[in-house]
Amino acid sequence: MTLQLLTPVRLGALTLKNRVVMAPLTRCRCDNAGYVPSEMMRRYYAQRAAAGLIVSEGTIVSPQARGYPFTPGIWSDEQVAGWRRVTDAVHEKGGLIVCQLWHCGRLSLPEFHGGKPPVAPSAINPNWKMFSPSGQPETVTPHALTRDEIAGVVADFRRAAANALAAGFDGAEIHSSNGYLFHQFFSRDANTRDDEYGGSHENRARFFCQVLEAVGQVMPFDRLGCRLNPMMNRFHGVNVDADTVPMWEHVVARANAYGLAYLHLSEAFMPRQLDDTPHALSDVGAHFRPLAKMPLIANGGFDRDTGEARLHAGLCDAVAYGRAWIANPDLVERFARGAPLNPPDLATFYSGGEKGYLDYATLSA
């Protein structure tokens, strides 16, 4: 019997040849002064073009948005040209690729901003250790964005989306999860504003909606997705509380109005992350599936069989895999043949260079 994972599916304007999505994977391989996608990155993505859809690694929308070293950007002409080489390579192999647009907000360090603090909705330190060339420094108290500065960030996302299309991407995904800038606006742990961006659910979702509307001016909504992680807990300075589920329900309800290509929805991704958390959801997808009026990509440490079961249960339309794609450029073929998977080498996830990036064996090799 044919695996449902291997059947086509339509997500908005995107027709996927299978339902095995490559999740966005930060790899810190963009080690040049302009943060321009490299030849090594072109080869990496081309190796994985058999995915039904590739969601690119988080791509910084402006210098202000940086939170990690050696992550690519999409604000300059040189970056657009570098990404064009990547997207051309994916398309030549029959693949689809969207650009994940990213702003880290307070999850950043002054060393990435000329010594100045990063930005956030409110001046609240997440008290987190960040990855950097200097080790694992502690975060600092961020600068609270003014209204005019928020408008500038909205404009950065609009420009980034236009650049993504110019670079040949098939669409874009807003990285609105995992404790980064959008999540910071959503969370009461990071947002204590008393203006139109704080307080009520409507106010805390306002920045998200403004970005969707701005991006929609330059990109069809049916080529745009968003990623949400409602149950991230005790991580990146945010926690699940009694307000969390109602807040995320409001976000999904607002997103429904735009006719987006998909909702990329994460289950809790850390072991025992929700222990002793009375307001947590044990199954994020099961809760939000009936509330979402757009196709759903499930993300949550699934293997072939659990991903297939998720599809058969009607809880999603496609399944995103992360580490499995890192170690298995031919993941779709391995799923089709029931072949074992290469284990990922965790030590090389962010190490730079070709080792652990381009050298994983394929079945044909």
Side-chain angles (χ1 to χ4, degrees):
M1 184 175 70
T2 301
L3 290 171
Q4 194 170 344
L5 278 165
L6 304 182
T7 61
V9 67
R10 189 170 179 87
L11 307 181
L14 307 174
T15 300
L16 283 58
K17 58 194 173 187
N18 60 62
R19 300 168 191 250
V20 185
V21 173
M22 179 173 162
L25 296 161
T26 297
R27 303 302 309 275
C28 296
R29 258 50 178 204
C30 198
D31 55 350
N32 57 74
Y35 305 108
V36 176
S38 64
E39 168 62 18
M40 186 168 62
M41 291 171 62
R42 185 195 68 80
R43 293 165 57 197
Y44 169 79
Y45 283 105
Q47 284 180 347
R48 291 156 178 80
L53 177 68
I54 295 173
V55 183
S56 82
E57 62 203 273
T59 302
I60 304 303
V61 299
S62 70
Q64 181 204 69
R66 182 165 302 285
Y68 298 86
F70 313 130
T71 51
I74 195 159
W75 67 83
S76 74
D77 292 343
E78 293 78 13
Q79 291 162 352
V80 170
W83 277 120
R84 169 61 79 170
R85 290 186 286 272
V86 172
T87 61
D88 283 350
V90 171
H91 292 151
E92 286 168 7
K93 293 199 170 185
L96 290 174
I97 182 168
V98 297
C99 184
Q100 191 189 59
L101 305 179
W102 192 19
H103 194 306
C104 295
R106 66 181 186 167
L107 288 170
S108 187
L109 299 164
E111 67 187 76
F112 298 135
H113 306 288
K116 295 180 180 179
V119 302
S122 302
I124 302 172
N125 190 338
N127 295 310
W128 199 257
K129 289 185 177 181
M130 297 296 295
F131 169 56
S132 108
S134 62
Q136 285 191 304
E138 296 275 355
T139 53
V140 301
T141 300
H143 162 71
L145 289 160
T146 66
R147 290 183 178 90
D148 286 346
E149 288 169 339
I150 291 172
V153 178
V154 172
D156 289 338
F157 274 90
R158 183 183 188 278
R159 177 188 61 194
N163 283 348
L165 288 182
F169 282 101
D170 298 292
E173 176 178 293
I174 306 297
H175 193 354
S176 36
S177 66
N178 292 10
Y180 298 115
L181 185 60
F182 291 92
H183 201 153
Q184 291 159 30
F185 273 92
F186 299 151
S187 173
R188 295 191 299 187
D189 290 318
N191 183 351
T192 57
R193 299 176 72 102
D194 58 6
D195 63 5
E196 67 270 30
Y197 292 98
S200 68
H201 294 159
E202 181 180 4
N203 283 356
R204 281 183 279 144
R206 189 179 306 277
F207 168 63
F208 173 70
C209 293
Q210 287 178 337
V211 168
L212 290 181
E213 289 161 8
V215 169
Q217 294 170 6
V218 297
M219 175 181 290
F221 284 122
D222 61 2
R223 291 187 175 275
L224 181 65
C226 62
R227 187 177 186 188
L228 303 178
N229 188 349
M231 288 295 106
M232 195 180 74
N233 189 39
R234 307 187 194 108
F235 194 84
H236 280 176
V238 297
N239 300 279
V240 171
D241 60 22
D243 180 68
T244 300
V245 171
M247 180 64 216
W248 291 96
E249 289 175 343
H250 179 82
V251 170
V252 170
R254 294 303 308 274
N256 281 337
Y258 293 95
L260 300 180
Y262 64 83
L263 168 61
H264 187 171
L265 193 62
S266 296
E267 300 294 323
F269 57 61
M270 301 292 290
R272 307 184 66 85
Q273 192 175 38
L274 298 176
D275 286 4
D276 303 317
T277 306
H279 302 287
L281 297 173
S282 59
D283 191 318
V284 176
H287 182 85
F288 284 98
R289 178 63 162 180
L291 304 180
K293 306 306 180 186
M294 67 203 89
L296 196 152
I297 299 174
N299 187 318
F302 301 111
D303 59 20
R304 188 192 78 159
D305 293 342
T306 55
E308 182 74 2
R310 202 85 183 160
L311 288 167
H312 276 283
L315 294 175
C316 63
D317 300 280
V319 182
Y321 296 88
R323 293 185 178 192
W325 272 115
I326 288 177
N328 299 274
D330 57 348
L331 183 64
V332 173
E333 182 181 0
R334 288 175 185 267
F335 278 0
R337 294 169 59 175
L341 303 186
N342 297 321
D345 179 5
L346 275 64
T348 60
F349 276 11
Y350 316 110
S351 62
E354 295 189 5
K355 180 174 172 53
Y357 191 66
L358 297 177
D359 58 352
Y360 283 105
T362 62
L363 292 174
S364 60

